[in-house]
Amino acid sequence: MNGARVDRTHLTNHKMEHSNIKEIIDHFAPTLPNLEGALRNLTNEAGNISSMTGVKHDGQQQQKGNPLPPHSLLPPPSVGNENDKAGTTEVTESTKNEVKDIEKLCELRFGSYCKWREEHREDMKDSIVKKLKDRLFVARAYFPSIAKLPAQNKLSQELKKNIQEFEHILSESTRDIDLPSQVRSPARLIISACFIRIENKLQRMEVAIAEARTCPVECHNVHKKLSQILDMTEDEANFYTRQSAFLHQLAVQTMPKSLHCLSMKLTVEYFNSSLHDMAPPPPERFSDPMMHHYVIFSNNILASSVVINSTVTHARDSGSLVFHVLTDEQNYFPMKLWFFKHSYREAAIQVLDIEHLDLDYHDKKALLSMSLPVEFHVSFLGVDGPSATPLKTEYLSVFSHAQYLLPYIFKNLKKVVILDDDVVVQRDLSDLWNLNMGGKVNGALQLCSVRLGQLSSYLGESSFDKNSCVWMSGLNVIDLARWRELDLTETYRKLGQQFSKLSKSIEASALRASLLTFQDQIYALGNVWALSGMGHDYGLDVKVIKNAAVLHYNGRMKPWLELGIPRYKRYWKSFLNRNDRFLAECNVNP
């Protein structure tokens, strides 16, 4: 009886080991998996941190001083809205749930690169060579154990012969096109009889491996060998994934060479011209509260030009429009020359160097340390249900430090509209000046798929309404008079100091402080006013895009970049001044 128990125990262990081996072999048949193994460690990470909260500055790790780890997950949103669709990736019905989970975890770790990769995924090249390598790996794993079995001498010889033939073929062929007698014609692939023999060799190898699986081999040796091969493959795939993600982030964060050329040529032209000796235009119109004042923070000449051109093009009365472009010292002179050389119907344009403004504010130096709007992506667990996604990512854009000095920059103005430099205007915006915001300070698009309660561990113990929706920059109607009454600049400064103790990241402090500064002071603009997601969401509906007054390219894939989403670029490119000689000289063609 004891012997029978031992035999049954041995048989059970043997079956378990054989099951593990089969599972590993499945990874190699018929070809290597598409990065599933490379991202398997992300699944483990997610399981360990699913109860935490995290927000990332897109494409960057959080600073070590931040109390929360990077790549964390937020709890599911309690209420959704029409904007829930933004930031998600469409997945076909035939895609496995496991792959969907992996792709979502990829987005958590690598940001917008994963969506770009999915959209630009190509068919696997050299699939036959890869299949030969996979079968060779498996055969090598089984051969040492089969060779020890005297009764399997014929199978051992067959495996050995197949291994030698595969090694010979792969020693001469690293690509499918290198395989014997394989010729590509312009129309189709012609496969000769010699190439068919390679297919026959593959079939013989498959038969030999299938027979080897039925043999009572030492499973732990096979398991060990296959595990080593699998680990090596996963490491290699993970390396290339990280490398590709890094190069993608580098591409989206670096100014294109053509735009750098444009800035340099305009700077040289400015100092070679007499413009720097000319007196500035009369300031009356720039400070007239009866005009419609638009404020743009940007260091991108082309982007600012598109914003202004698209706004003026659709304006009923362009003579009432005044644009204030605030930029840094480096881009001030080329920006000034560009808008001096180009007219935008009857609109007035003022270019300001934000680094040299004479402001009556006691801590202006601290708030001017970063002049451009900041973008983050926030990930959280999806809601329950058959159509739910295990992980959802939204892209948030908020004000920078410098934008909180608006009441001091424009002392005589009572109301302004802030436009980010990554927007395109598609209809007249004059109705924004007639909005009754009921005493609210900031008219903004709200993203109710992300609520402050989901960010509670990130925002600390501050008092706030947990059901309040997150607000977005891009298109903002600002009541400066009410802002001054509430002294929101000082509120922001104090919150910034408070949060700076929790994080060394300026951007992270800006996000926290911005979300809470306008607590109970947000007037929700309707969805018809602005559509976000043009810089990261491949699945936006064409009808929704056409009906939106303002298109916001929030996300990493900006329309002036080569990596911008192709089908959304045309809305932006239609407002470029293609006749400018500097654009031609610098080969600017986004």
Side-chain angles (χ1 to χ4, degrees):
M1 293 293 292
N2 292 337
R5 286 198 195 96
V6 171
D7 290 341
R8 281 198 295 270
T9 302
H10 176 75
L11 181 60
T12 302
N13 293 336
H14 178 81
K15 288 182 177 179
M16 291 177 63
E17 288 180 337
H18 190 80
S19 176
N20 291 337
I21 293 174
K22 185 178 184 303
E23 181 179 348
I24 294 177
I25 290 177
D26 288 341
H27 282 277
F28 295 99
T31 56
L32 292 176
N34 289 330
L35 294 176
E36 293 183 36
L39 297 174
R40 182 176 298 133
N41 60 322
L42 296 178
T43 306
N44 297 330
E45 289 180 16
N48 295 331
I49 60 178
S50 59
S51 61
M52 303 178 187
T53 301
V55 181
K56 283 180 60 183
H57 187 230
D58 191 20
Q60 298 181 10
Q61 299 284 342
Q62 286 181 324
Q63 300 293 329
K64 292 183 179 179
N66 201 304
L68 301 169
H71 319 312
S72 303
L73 307 181
L74 303 178
S78 56
V79 181
N81 76 337
E82 294 181 6
N83 290 328
D84 285 354
K85 190 175 181 181
T88 62
T89 305
E90 290 188 1
V91 182
T92 60
E93 293 181 358
S94 61
T95 306
K96 296 181 180 179
N97 291 333
E98 179 183 356
V99 176
K100 186 191 298 183
D101 294 355
I102 290 171
E103 290 304 326
K104 289 297 180 182
L105 292 169
C106 170
E107 188 177 345
L108 174 63
R109 188 174 189 183
F110 297 116
S112 59
Y113 159 73
C114 298
K115 289 185 176 182
W116 177 88
R117 184 191 68 189
E118 278 303 298
E119 286 294 319
H120 295 82
R121 188 184 295 277
E122 298 179 356
D123 293 336
M124 180 181 290
K125 297 179 180 179
D126 306 315
S127 59
I128 298 174
V129 168
K130 288 183 173 65
K131 187 183 294 186
L132 290 171
K133 290 181 178 180
D134 296 343
R135 299 297 87 193
L136 178 60
F137 287 158
V138 176
R140 282 173 172 171
Y142 272 103
F143 178 71
S145 298
I146 298 296
K148 295 179 181 179
L149 302 176
Q152 299 297 332
N153 184 59
K154 183 179 179 180
L155 175 60
S156 175
Q157 292 299 320
E158 179 67 17
L159 278 174
K160 182 178 180 180
K161 178 183 177 182
N162 289 337
I163 289 173
Q164 291 175 343
E165 289 179 348
F166 274 43
E167 288 176 341
H168 176 71
I169 293 172
L170 292 174
S171 67
E172 299 178 347
S173 306
T174 58
R175 300 174 300 168
D176 283 1
I177 199 173
D178 299 329
L179 292 171
S181 301
Q182 183 172 342
V183 182
R184 293 184 182 274
S185 68
R188 61 192 179 93
L189 183 68
I190 302 174
I191 305 178
S192 68
C194 184
F195 184 69
I196 293 177
R197 286 200 295 271
I198 293 180
E199 288 292 320
N200 292 336
K201 293 179 188 297
L202 268 170
Q203 292 177 7
R204 288 200 301 271
M205 178 69 91
E206 294 282 3
V207 172
I209 292 175
E211 187 177 349
R213 291 182 186 180
T214 64
C215 297
V217 298
E218 298 176 357
C219 290
H220 64 278
N221 290 335
V222 179
H223 184 276
K224 181 179 179 180
K225 180 66 175 177
L226 290 176
S227 295
Q228 290 174 348
I229 297 171
L230 182 60
D231 290 341
M232 178 183 68
T233 306
E234 289 180 353
D235 289 343
E236 184 177 1
N238 198 22
F239 167 78
Y240 285 115
T241 300
R242 288 173 178 271
Q243 183 185 63
S244 299
F246 170 77
L247 294 175
H248 179 271
Q249 293 299 336
L250 184 65
V252 298
Q253 294 182 46
T254 304
M255 177 183 288
K257 181 180 179 180
S258 58
L259 296 189
H260 181 72
C261 167
L262 177 64
S263 180
M264 294 298 100
K265 281 186 174 291
L266 287 171
T267 301
V268 173
E269 181 74 9
Y270 176 87
F271 287 104
N272 287 337
S273 69
S274 59
L275 183 60
H276 60 281
D277 296 325
M278 295 175 60
E284 290 81 9
R285 195 175 177 187
F286 295 144
S287 57
D288 184 357
M290 301 303 294
M291 306 294 285
H292 292 176
H293 294 265
Y294 294 87
V295 179
I296 303 169
F297 288 77
S298 178
N299 58 12
N300 188 321
I301 300 168
L302 216 55
S304 303
S305 176
V306 168
V307 175
I308 295 175
N309 194 21
S310 63
T311 306
V312 170
T313 299
H314 295 95
R316 289 193 293 264
D317 179 16
S318 63
S320 64
L321 305 186
V322 178
F323 294 90
H324 307 272
V325 182
L326 290 95
T327 188
D328 55 18
E329 183 178 15
Q330 178 180 340
N331 292 281
Y332 172 69
F333 298 109
M335 193 87 75
K336 192 173 181 180
L337 177 63
W338 177 271
F339 289 112
F340 176 80
K341 289 171 62 66
H342 295 85
S343 61
Y344 297 84
R345 295 176 64 186
E346 299 176 3
I349 301 174
Q350 180 187 34
V351 180
L352 297 173
D353 179 1
I354 196 171
E355 297 178 10
H356 293 87
L357 292 177
D358 185 15
L359 304 180
D360 184 20
Y361 183 70
H362 61 89
D363 198 17
K364 66 175 183 179
K365 184 176 293 187
L367 294 185
L368 287 177
S369 60
M370 183 176 59
S371 61
L372 299 179
V374 190
E375 288 190 345
F376 299 82
H377 76 259
V378 53
S379 299
F380 52 86
L381 293 173
V383 296
D384 295 330
S387 62
T389 54
L391 184 72
K392 185 174 179 60
T393 298
E394 297 284 8
Y395 285 74
L396 309 180
S397 55
V398 296
F399 288 170
S400 67
H401 292 333
Q403 288 170 291
Y404 286 91
L405 290 172
L406 284 174
Y408 297 91
I409 298 174
F410 305 106
K411 297 179 181 179
N412 298 327
L413 302 183
K414 297 180 180 180
K415 195 173 189 178
V416 297
V417 171
I418 302 177
L419 297 173
D420 284 0
D421 68 356
D422 56 354
V423 305
V424 170
V425 177
Q426 296 194 121
R427 77 165 189 249
D428 179 62
L429 300 181
S430 58
D431 289 343
L432 289 174
W433 302 91
N434 300 322
L435 287 178
N436 180 7
M437 298 200 300
K440 304 294 185 181
V441 174
N442 186 357
L445 181 69
Q446 288 191 310
L447 193 66
C448 289
S449 57
V450 181
R451 297 179 182 266
L452 294 184
Q454 297 171 246
L455 305 174
S456 56
S457 60
Y458 186 76
L459 296 174
E461 300 179 355
S462 305
S463 176
F464 56 87
D465 180 7
K466 293 185 177 181
N467 289 323
S468 179
C469 300
V470 169
W471 64 274
M472 298 271 288
S473 70
L475 171 67
N476 300 88
V477 184
I478 303 296
D479 186 340
L480 291 179
R482 182 64 174 154
W483 185 317
R484 295 185 185 99
E485 289 178 19
L486 299 175
D487 198 9
L488 293 184
T489 302
E490 188 64 14
T491 300
Y492 175 80
R493 187 186 69 85
K494 290 180 179 179
L495 284 172
Q497 289 180 341
Q498 173 185 336
F499 287 124
S500 64
K501 298 176 182 178
L502 302 177
S503 173
K504 296 179 182 179
S505 169
I506 297 176
E507 292 87 352
S509 299
L511 174 63
R512 291 178 167 115
S514 287
L515 292 176
L516 297 184
T517 295
F518 291 105
Q519 180 72 203
D520 300 323
Q521 295 300 324
I522 297 295
Y523 174 82
L525 297 178
N527 289 336
V528 295
W529 278 111
L531 175 66
S532 63
M534 298 286 286
H536 69 87
D537 188 354
Y538 283 87
L540 295 176
D541 187 83
V542 175
K543 292 182 179 179
V544 177
I545 294 175
K546 290 182 178 180
N547 291 333
V550 175
L551 304 178
H552 189 193
Y553 290 81
N554 63 311
R556 294 310 237 175
M557 292 175 276
K558 302 299 184 185
W560 54 83
L561 298 175
E562 184 178 347
L563 296 179
I565 300 177
R567 59 177 171 268
Y568 301 155
K569 278 188 175 185
R570 62 185 181 91
Y571 301 102
W572 186 86
K573 293 172 70 172
S574 61
F575 295 101
L576 283 178
N577 187 348
R578 297 183 179 277
N579 297 323
D580 185 84
R581 70 177 178 89
F582 290 109
L583 296 187
E585 291 176 3
C586 291
N587 195 27
V588 177
N589 186 26

